[in-house]
Every structure is written in C-alpha cells, then in structure tokens.
Amino acid sequence: MPAAYTSQTCSTCGHRDPRSRNGVVFTCTSCGHLDHADTNAALNILNAAGLGRVRTWSPAPVGCEASTTRRAA
Ligand SMILES: [Zn+2]
C-alpha cells in the first residue's frame, strides 16, 4: 500500500476514499469507522507491515490456550 494513501484508507475495512478524511478526523465512508486521522494512518502502516493488532496489543503466544481452558464438566 502506498504510504501516500494511508490517511485516506480505512484501517478497519480497507476502503479508500479522500472524503473519509476530514481534518484530523477519519470517518470511513464505507463502514463508518471513526478514528483520529493520524491513528488511522498509523494503523494502516502497521497493517501493511503485518502488525495490525496494535489497538488490542497483547503478546499472547500463538498456540497458547491456557487462559481459555476453564471448563468444569
Ligand atoms: Zn471502513
């Protein structure tokens, strides 16, 4: 993804529209995602780099399900 479009692209659905960007506010014209324009752009850059989970950053190791195996039956 060209860096020039990160401020016009929705970090949630990937829709790109210059109208989504309104000053410092980003409101996706497709899915309605609302975010700070800089935050949205940063998320797009991270998504492009394959690191798009910054919003709910949790270093949970892949394959570790220790916290979800509480099932008394
Ligand atoms: Zn969207």
Side-chain angles (χ1 to χ4, degrees), residues 10 13 28 31:
C10 177
C13 74
C28 181
C31 75

Side-chain angles (χ1 to χ4, degrees), residues 10-26:
C10 177
S11 63
T12 297
C13 74
H15 182 72
R16 190 177 78 210
D17 189 340
R19 292 174 300 170
S20 294
R21 175 73 186 272
N22 184 10
V24 298
V25 177
F26 182 94

